Amino acid sequence: MLNKPLIFDAHLDLAMNALEWNRDLRWTVDEIRMSEKSLTDKPDRANGTVSLPSMRDGHIGVCVATQIGRYVKRGNNIPGWKSPEQAWAQTQGQLAWYKTMEDEGEMKQIRTSEDLDKHVLLWENPDKNTPVGYILSLEGADSIISMRHLEKAFEYGLRAIGPAHYGPGTYAQGTDSIGGVGKKGHDLLKEMERFGIILDATHLCDESFREALDIYHGPVWASHNNCRAFVAHNRQFSDDQITELAGRDAVIGIALDAWMMVPGWIRGKSNPESMGVSLKLMINNIDHICQLTGNSLHAGIGSDLDGAFGTEQCPYDLDTISDLQKLPGMLSEIGYSASDIHNILSYNWIRFLRKNLPSG
Ligand SMILES: [Zn+2]
């Protein structure tokens, strides 16, 4: 246990799993799976890979954890709430869950660079009860009803926002959609800049990506985004986008959703073994970013392992999130040095946040 390095996972939807999947994340992964044997309401029932004990076991001691509430306009068939007000209320329930986990000593919110330093120190000597630290992020900004709500969110500790998710959004256009950020997106980005809220470039369609990066001058990262070089899809970053992000000092988290790792994945049909989906493909994405940028400063982990998929749609050599501990050995095998590995496992995110979180 003592020899495992700290891992920073920049994208988990923990509260969504607690409240929409009805998973008590204090249970072990096996206990959660057992409890779901007869359920069929979600594609990943009985296949989950994430819980707080499994994070602790794998020394995933700090993560970026989301609030997520999508608003879908009348006539659109994508799943989501019928109004921004409902979506906001959903995210407030998620916040309440994180706070309850804090009261239980299971998690610890990180709002400032001092909080981060303290937490990283705590994980130098963890035990089985050491809380999992989290930086609060919002995936898709549709739930931000007004700029007053943005201010409120900053006050309760929201530190990063991905303006869009799947499809068209209020503030930007997301995956599988087209178009720019519009006036509302412009205003949101400027307010985010004023508060120093990190822009998460993940899920932005190419045009919104272009506009958002031009309008917004604050810190940018991409919490969970793979490379278009391997899977040619608008959800992935082109080499030009990766180079531009690196120029903005961004870190890009590599995700473990099978369809983003191998071309031709068919949801509900393909399986990880026959498609050759293994952690090696994650390493390939990490290595691609490192080769493109000429260093190990811009690649990290943003597993998304609880993003509505489980073992049916993730690398076959990963059973629970604690298996992220296989990565250091795999990186070492292809010639990465100890300091490169440290950067990729945790330090790139830590360095970024030290610089960009508010102080005190
Ligand atoms: Zn996502």
Side-chain angles (χ1 to χ4, degrees), residues 11 13 68 139 164-166 202-203 223-224 235 260 304 307:
H11 191 80
D13 299 311
I68 179 166
E139 181 164 27
H165 193 215
Y166 281 89
T202 305
H203 281 294
S223 61
H224 59 304
R235 171 73 180 81
M260 291 162 60
D304 200 13

Side-chain angles (χ1 to χ4, degrees), residues 296 328 331-345:
S296 65
L331 286 164
S332 170
E333 255 168 44
I334 58 164
Y336 278 67
S337 71
S339 77
D340 290 332
I341 294 169
H342 176 59
N343 284 342
I344 292 160
L345 293 183

Side-chain angles (χ1 to χ4, degrees), residues 147 150 161 163 171-172 181-200 204 208-209 211-218:
M147 293 309 111
L150 182 72
I161 296 181
Y171 299 102
V181 304
K183 161 111 177 55
K184 282 191 174 162
H186 179 278
D187 293 351
L188 177 83
L189 288 161
K190 282 300 174 197
E191 276 298 276
M192 284 168 58
E193 189 178 312
R194 196 164 71 82
F195 287 115
I197 296 175
I198 297 157
L199 168 63
D200 189 344
L204 292 173
S208 283
F209 176 93
E211 288 188 10
L213 260 65
D214 288 344
I215 293 164
Y216 178 85
H217 300 117

